Amino acid sequence: MYTLPNLPYAYEALEPHIDAETMKIHHDKHHQAYLDKLNAALESQVELASLPVEDLLWQFEEHQAKLPAEVATALRNHGGGYANHNLFWEIMSPEGPRQAVGELTKALDATFGSFADFQAKFVDVATKHFGSGWAWLAIDQTGKLAVYSTSNQDSPLMQQHRPLLGVDVWEHAYYLKYQNRRPDYLAAIWQVLDWQKIEERYLQAVGK
Ligand SMILES: [Fe+2]
């Protein structure tokens, strides 16, 4: 059985950029629902359910080939939703540096030119993503930083990429406060990302 991690801060901690009501519904209802459906789908898959969900997604294709279709779909959608939200809460905070720090700064500069150039690309990808999904900064299979989006709850782990930063662009992430104005939400998100946490994920991913 997987469990719902507590938010590492209060619902209102990310105000005014992300409102308390959105955080409460997002964590207590949406994240809980992904978790419940993942647990239900894996109820008869005791061995799989004993593994970290990130491992299941990393080897999704192999699992998909062996699992009943509806279980594989549930793993993709609800396992992805569970893992993506775990990451999302972790890389935000009411404090923390609002720009890259340490080793990741150098890597972002080398890949995108500057932090501002990275931000512009990320916002562009996130804004243009059609429908529900996520925008990502991830390390690809060759060890390079990459910015892209995925649909629904697909995780970079499914293509053996290591996600460093994920921003939820489902309407449930911003509609109460920003309604249809996704660009306003994407302008505000930089005020709540914790680049110390993202740096820690980067160092872990590159083995430093
Ligand atoms: Fe979400």
Side-chain angles (χ1 to χ4, degrees), residues 17-19 21-23 25-26 30 168-182 184-185:
H17 311 290
I18 302 182
D19 60 289
E21 187 67 7
T22 294
M23 289 301 293
I25 295 171
H26 203 169
H30 291 282
D168 191 341
V169 296
W170 283 60
E171 285 186 342
H172 69 225
Y174 62 86
Y175 206 85
L176 285 181
K177 183 175 177 68
Y178 297 100
Q179 292 82 48
N180 60 322
R181 304 187 306 278
R182 187 190 286 183
D184 290 356
Y185 162 69

Side-chain angles (χ1 to χ4, degrees), residues 26 30 34 85 88-89 134 153 168 170 172-173:
H26 203 169
H30 291 282
Y34 292 119
H85 289 88
F88 192 44
W89 312 137
W134 289 74
Q153 293 294 351
D168 191 341
W170 283 60
H172 69 225

